Amino acid sequence: YYFNRAAAYRYLKQYSEAADDCLSSLELNDSYDKARTLLVKIRDDEKKVLAEDKEAERREAEDIIRQADEYKDSGNAFMKNKQFEEALDQYNLAIDTSADGPNSHIYYFNRAAAYRYLKQYSEAADDCLSSLELNDSYDKARTLLVKIRDDEKKVLAEDKEAERREAEDIIRQADEYKDSGNAFMKNKQFEEALDQYNLAIDTSADGPNSHIYYFNRAA
């Protein structure tokens, strides 16, 4: 009975159950060679299926890498045309398709380059680090990371300079209101002077000269 059920299981490709039934058959009758012969065939079947599964997995992995590389190549074409947003989309697809494959460090590096052109330096730096995590010897990512850090420093310096100039412009404008108020005060045009001091304070309520604006308004 066990032998016959094992044969049925084998035809249904349920090899584990088939092998168990062959063993059960042999436990009951160790000299029942048909069960032993069938067990050998089942073990061969299992090896064949395992090999086929591995081959299918290998082909699937190759297809995934091939698709990801196509996205990467498409992104590179957009980069050459300075279409950075479109390139970014393609590199995103490449990474979504194969985030940790043999070429994934290149996808992250390329996306970092696209982010850099778009002045998204934080994202660019993160992608360089991801690239190096996947391939520590990929020096192009390390070199790009240094450039990105320099870009960040330059932007920070520019922002500080812009803030400094803006602050100077605010003080200059407030001082102009204050000077205008002083001129009205000399002419005893107190309402007009008050208006100008109000504008000075509204423009710079806590700047380096604001104590003067309050004093003048008090007068």
Side-chain angles (χ1 to χ4, degrees), residues 9-97:
Y9 273 135
R10 185 190 177 210
Y11 279 112
L12 293 170
K13 297 184 179 181
Q14 298 181 35
Y15 300 119
S16 178
E17 293 84 350
D20 287 344
D21 272 359
C22 284
L23 293 172
S24 295
S25 177
L26 290 169
E27 284 178 6
L28 293 170
N29 187 343
D30 185 63
S31 64
Y32 194 53
D33 289 336
K34 291 176 68 175
R36 187 169 284 103
T37 300
L38 181 60
L39 181 60
V40 171
K41 292 180 179 179
I42 291 166
R43 294 307 188 199
D44 289 339
D45 291 335
E46 288 177 320
K47 291 177 183 177
K48 182 179 178 182
V49 168
L50 182 61
E52 290 173 348
D53 288 345
K54 286 184 177 180
E55 177 63 15
E57 289 176 2
R58 185 188 66 79
R59 289 180 180 177
E60 182 180 2
E62 286 183 349
D63 288 342
I64 288 172
I65 295 169
R66 187 179 300 109
Q67 179 64 71
D69 279 347
E70 288 178 3
Y71 289 133
K72 180 261 294 179
D73 293 340
S74 178
N76 292 350
F78 281 121
M79 287 288 283
K80 288 180 181 178
N81 292 325
K82 297 184 178 180
Q83 295 174 271
F84 304 122
E85 290 285 357
E86 292 81 356
L88 189 65
D89 290 339
Q90 294 302 303
Y91 296 142
N92 284 337
L93 289 171
I95 291 169
D96 289 343
T97 302

Side-chain angles (χ1 to χ4, degrees), residues 115-128:
Y115 273 133
R116 185 188 178 211
Y117 278 111
L118 293 169
K119 298 185 178 181
Q120 297 182 35
Y121 300 119
S122 177
E123 293 84 350
D126 287 344
D127 272 357
C128 284

Side-chain angles (χ1 to χ4, degrees), residues 136-215:
D136 186 63
S137 64
Y138 195 54
D139 289 335
K140 291 175 72 174
R142 188 169 283 104
T143 299
L144 181 59
L145 181 59
V146 171
K147 292 179 180 179
I148 291 166
R149 295 306 189 199
D150 288 340
D151 291 336
E152 289 177 319
K153 291 177 183 177
K154 182 179 178 182
V155 168
L156 182 61
E158 290 173 348
D159 288 345
K160 286 184 177 179
E161 177 61 17
E163 289 175 2
R164 185 189 66 79
R165 290 179 180 176
E166 183 180 3
E168 286 183 349
D169 289 342
I170 288 171
I171 294 169
R172 187 179 299 109
Q173 180 63 70
D175 279 348
E176 288 177 3
Y177 289 132
K178 180 262 294 179
D179 292 341
S180 177
N182 292 350
F184 281 122
M185 286 289 284
K186 286 181 180 180
N187 293 324
K188 297 183 179 181
Q189 294 174 275
F190 305 121
E191 289 289 348
E192 292 80 354
L194 188 64
D195 289 339
Q196 294 301 303
Y197 295 142
N198 284 337
L199 288 171
I201 291 169
D202 289 343
T203 302
S204 179
D206 56 0
N209 299 332
S210 300
H211 62 289
I212 300 172
Y213 312 152
Y214 283 106
F215 169 80

